[in-house]
Amino acid sequence: MKKGALIFEGNEKQVFATDHPDKVIFRYKDVTVAYNNVKRARFIGKGALNNQISAILLDYLNRNGVETHFISLLSDQEQLCRKIEIIPLQVVVHNRIAGSLAYRLGVPEGFRHANTIVDLRYNNDDLDDPIINRDHAVALGLATYQELDGMYDCARRVNSLLKPFFHQAGIELVDMKIEFGRASDTGALIISDEISPDTCRLWDEATGERMDKDRFRLDLSRVVESYSNVLKRLKQVTEQ
Ligand code: TYD
């Protein structure tokens, strides 16, 4: 696969064209941003860790009947992915209350609830990724009601697959953000962004220690060490 021109550059990722019209190369950078780009740092090795962690999780979903954009790992920081048309929505699944949801609902972080909570956010930096509902998404022309039904169902299915997968690694999947796109070849709605410690909250089941981007957000140190621990444990699960 020949690497072509840079077609997108985000804070934490680059996307390159290839000589195949429906395939792109994702490159995971060592940059980390939080609070809508207010906080930024570089962690050597983070890109390679997220590339590998995301590959394990997306491959696991592909093999369990959930279509994602992931095709194969190419190098330390790069993976081959299906090209998609971006849908600027984030579907956020919460298994336990943490982060801004704790403030929003007025409950302490770590609050346990029996149901699964699904939030919808409009992926728009200028507006600070506001929480919206399905009617807003349809009004803005971002997706149809049918597509939104598909996204919610898929997000719940991803959660029901990844929660036990992380559990086998001794990690609690507290919440995660999922993004979808329309595949350029088939038009199918598929998962189209990374799933990693940058986009999930992951707590060590034994100690409660945070193993995700909150280490950076909250200045808890040992960011790369924690991501590396997540990868080591997921590898142990997949190699069983
Ligand atoms: P959410 O409750 O939506 O916001 P906050 O991070 O303010 O608590 O976050 C839930 C999960 O989604 C969390 O693991 C971080 C992730 N997330 C992203 O990866 N990108 C984003 O732009 C947002 C808003 C959240």
Side-chain angles (χ1 to χ4, degrees), residues 99-114:
S100 60
L101 186 58
Y103 293 98
R104 199 155 29 106
L105 300 185
V107 296
E109 260 217 319
F111 181 87
R112 288 180 190 276
H113 45 96

Side-chain angles (χ1 to χ4, degrees), residues 1 4 14 16 18 23-24 28 33 45 71 76 81 103 111 120 136 142 150 154 171 178 182 192 204 209 225 235:
M1 191 63 53
Q14 291 170 316
F16 296 88
T18 69
K23 293 179 184 171
V24 293
Y28 287 71
V33 297
I71 300 172
D76 243 25
C81 292
Y103 293 98
F111 181 87
L120 189 65
H136 298 147
L142 306 178
C154 184
I171 297 170
I178 300 171
R182 299 179 189 94
S192 62
D204 186 324
E209 196 173 70
E225 289 87 335
K235 274 187 172 165

Side-chain angles (χ1 to χ4, degrees), residues 14-231:
Q14 291 170 316
V15 182
F16 296 88
T18 69
D19 50 2
H20 190 295
D22 298 313
K23 293 179 184 171
V24 293
I25 293 173
F26 254 57
R27 182 173 176 278
Y28 287 71
K29 303 194 321 196
D30 283 338
V31 175
T32 291
V33 297
Y35 306 121
N36 201 7
N37 307 339
V38 170
K39 194 168 169 170
R40 167 184 282 266
R42 190 154 179 261
F43 294 101
I44 305 293
K46 190 215 67 153
L49 289 164
N50 273 357
N51 184 34
Q52 291 181 72
I53 293 168
S54 201
I56 290 175
L57 298 172
L58 295 174
D59 178 58
Y60 181 71
L61 294 175
N62 280 338
R63 284 188 289 108
N64 283 278
V66 176
E67 255 191 286
T68 81
H69 72 159
F70 175 74
I71 300 172
S72 61
L73 270 179
L74 291 177
S75 66
D76 243 25
Q77 284 180 250
E78 291 176 330
Q79 54 183 249
L80 187 63
C81 292
R82 293 169 67 180
K83 193 172 178 183
I84 53 103
E85 179 203 335
I86 292 171
I87 300 175
L89 289 171
Q90 305 175 339
V91 182
V92 183
V93 182
H94 304 266
N95 294 310
R96 200 160 156 184
I97 307 282
S100 60
L101 186 58
Y103 293 98
R104 199 155 29 106
L105 300 185
V107 296
E109 260 217 319
F111 181 87
R112 288 180 190 276
H113 45 96
N115 59 336
T116 304
I117 299 170
V118 184
D119 276 330
L120 189 65
R121 284 184 179 272
Y122 179 20
N123 201 348
N124 183 321
D125 281 351
D126 293 341
L127 300 176
D128 222 359
D129 299 341
I131 289 171
I132 59 169
N133 64 30
R134 291 156 42 92
D135 297 329
H136 298 147
V138 172
L140 292 175
L142 306 178
T144 64
Y145 282 110
Q146 200 186 359
E147 284 177 323
L148 287 161
D149 284 344
M151 288 185 221
Y152 274 77
D153 287 350
C154 184
R156 286 180 187 275
R157 170 130 177 82
V158 168
N159 190 47
S160 69
L161 285 165
L162 293 188
K163 220 169 111 173
F165 189 62
F166 275 113
H167 175 62
Q168 286 182 69
I171 297 170
E172 181 178 348
L173 176 60
V174 171
D175 62 30
M176 72 179 146
K177 184 260 305 176
I178 300 171
E179 290 185 30
F180 294 88
R182 299 179 189 94
S184 66
D185 46 2
T186 62
L189 199 68
I190 63 173
I191 293 188
S192 62
D193 197 13
E194 73 185 289
I195 302 182
S196 75
D198 274 359
T199 63
C200 300
R201 284 197 171 85
L202 304 169
W203 292 357
D204 186 324
E205 285 183 350
T207 63
E209 196 173 70
R210 293 169 200 258
M211 306 175 78
D212 54 65
K213 201 191 235 184
D214 273 350
R215 300 209 68 81
F216 168 64
R217 290 189 191 97
L218 307 173
D219 295 318
L220 298 175
S221 78
R222 290 189 289 109
V223 176
V224 173
E225 289 87 335
S226 297
Y227 284 34
S228 168
N229 194 359
V230 171
L231 176 61

